[in-house]
């Protein structure tokens, strides 16, 4: 599989893994991933995720991540 991560409409250079790590408040935004699968015959298929909005908030000594109405941390 190959992965292409996007923040808004902008492709994130160098982000080609199956997971995307975010840690800065400036990382807050809307994200999606495009995944391409290629078989041994060279045939490929593309899947694109729905967009998800990520909000990252920090306070001294704590951290939290909010994903579409859910808060973790």
């Amino acid at each position: 599989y190959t992965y292409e991560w996007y923040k808004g409409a902008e492709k994130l250079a160098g982000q080609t893994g199956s997971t995307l790590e975010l840690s800065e408040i400036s990382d807050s935004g809307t994200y999606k991933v495009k995944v391409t699968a290629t078989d041994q015959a060279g045939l490929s298929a593309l899947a694109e995720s729905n967009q998800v909005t990520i909000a990252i908030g920090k306070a001294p000594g704590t951290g939290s991540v909010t994903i579409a109405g859910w808060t973790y941390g």
Side-chain angles (χ1 to χ4, degrees):
Y1 297 100
T2 59
Y3 301 87
E4 297 177 325
W5 288 91
Y6 292 80
K7 181 179 181 185
E10 182 181 337
K11 184 177 175 181
L12 299 175
Q15 298 298 328
T16 58
S18 60
T19 60
L20 179 65
E21 289 190 29
L22 307 171
S23 61
E24 300 298 323
I25 291 174
S26 62
D27 290 336
S28 295
T30 302
Y31 290 84
K32 69 179 178 182
V33 64
K34 293 181 181 180
V35 181
T36 303
T38 304
D39 67 14
Q40 293 177 351
L43 300 173
S44 62
L46 173 69
E48 184 174 329
S49 72
N50 291 327
Q51 290 189 344
V52 61
T53 299
I54 306 292
I56 299 175
K58 288 187 177 182
T62 66
S64 67
V65 176
T66 302
I67 302 174
W70 294 84
T71 300
Y72 303 91

